[in-house]
Amino acid sequence: MRATDTDLWHRLADYVIGPADAAFTFAQRLARENRWSGDYAARAIHEYKRFCWLACEAGHEVTPSDAVDQAWHLHLTYSRDYWDRFCPQVLRRPLHHGPTAGGTTERTRYYDQYAQTLASYEAHFGQVPPGDIWPDARRRFLVDPRAVRLNPADVVILTRGQAYGVLAAIGLALVALVATAMF
């Protein structure tokens, strides 16, 4: 039986996070806080629900992607919704979020656990997890942890290509300036 055929999945699929009368929805807040499009935030919420299904049914500890973890962290701030409605009525069990203790052993444990989560996702949902939300374990644990969250009001953010273009333009301007000064 596929995950999407289970009662748990139907409860998860029907569940809307947060108060029904909120003017600023959970999805809108998730998008704003992460600088995501509304579509990407909706997809991350869908994947968060799949992660929750796996947490309950995979038969092993699971580890979320960073995007899924962002949805989970935000959901935890809706504490009444999370603990009074989501866990008892939808999951029908508590789902605690525990941080890593750090170090090589923990990194290896979470790396392996995440790889197993991806394999279980594919086995239970019958498809490969979307790579833009669920990157491979190497990316999740070796590349992405180097990322930092920035407030764009405080910094100028350029892609690597844009930065190279700016540096090339500055270099050409300096060459032109030196050439002009020499003549």
Side-chain angles (χ1 to χ4, degrees):
M1 176 185 293
R2 295 224 175 194
T4 54
D5 296 331
T6 65
D7 289 338
L8 173 57
W9 177 254
H10 291 288
R11 289 191 307 273
L12 282 162
D14 292 340
Y15 174 71
V16 177
I17 301 172
D21 61 346
F24 195 58
T25 67
F26 178 84
Q28 290 169 324
R29 185 171 172 197
L30 184 64
R32 182 194 67 193
E33 291 188 7
N34 289 282
R35 298 187 51 80
W36 294 342
S37 70
D39 178 62
Y40 187 86
R43 290 178 54 239
I45 292 167
H46 180 77
E47 294 303 321
Y48 165 60
K49 291 177 179 183
R50 286 184 170 204
F51 166 77
C52 291
W53 189 94
L54 289 168
C56 294
E57 299 295 332
H60 59 83
E61 288 188 77
V62 293
T63 296
S65 68
D66 184 64
V68 168
D69 202 34
Q70 292 308 309
W72 193 7
H73 283 199
L74 184 58
H75 193 189
L76 285 164
T77 68
Y78 288 64
S79 59
R80 284 186 184 86
D81 182 80
Y82 188 84
W83 290 111
D84 296 345
R85 193 166 69 96
F86 183 65
C87 287
Q89 295 173 20
V90 178
L91 301 182
R92 297 187 178 161
R93 61 172 269 190
L95 180 58
H96 294 279
H97 188 297
T100 179
T104 304
T105 302
E106 282 282 279
R107 183 175 60 239
T108 300
R109 178 172 81 96
Y110 281 104
Y111 183 101
D112 294 343
Q113 204 169 275
Y114 182 75
Q116 188 177 20
T117 300
L118 296 178
S120 289
Y121 181 112
E122 188 170 352
H124 290 288
F125 290 102
Q127 63 190 82
V128 174
D132 63 332
I133 294 177
W134 292 94
D136 63 44
R138 182 191 164 285
R139 171 87 194 196
R140 169 73 169 96
F141 287 97
L142 300 177
V143 177
D144 289 349
R146 296 182 193 155
V148 294
R149 299 193 194 281
L150 301 171
N151 185 337
D154 297 332
V155 297
V156 173
I157 301 171
L158 301 174
T159 65
R160 213 176 273 271
Q162 290 169 328
Y164 291 146
V166 168
L167 289 173
I170 291 170
L172 288 172
L174 287 173
V175 167
L177 184 63
V178 169
T180 304
M182 293 176 81
F183 295 108

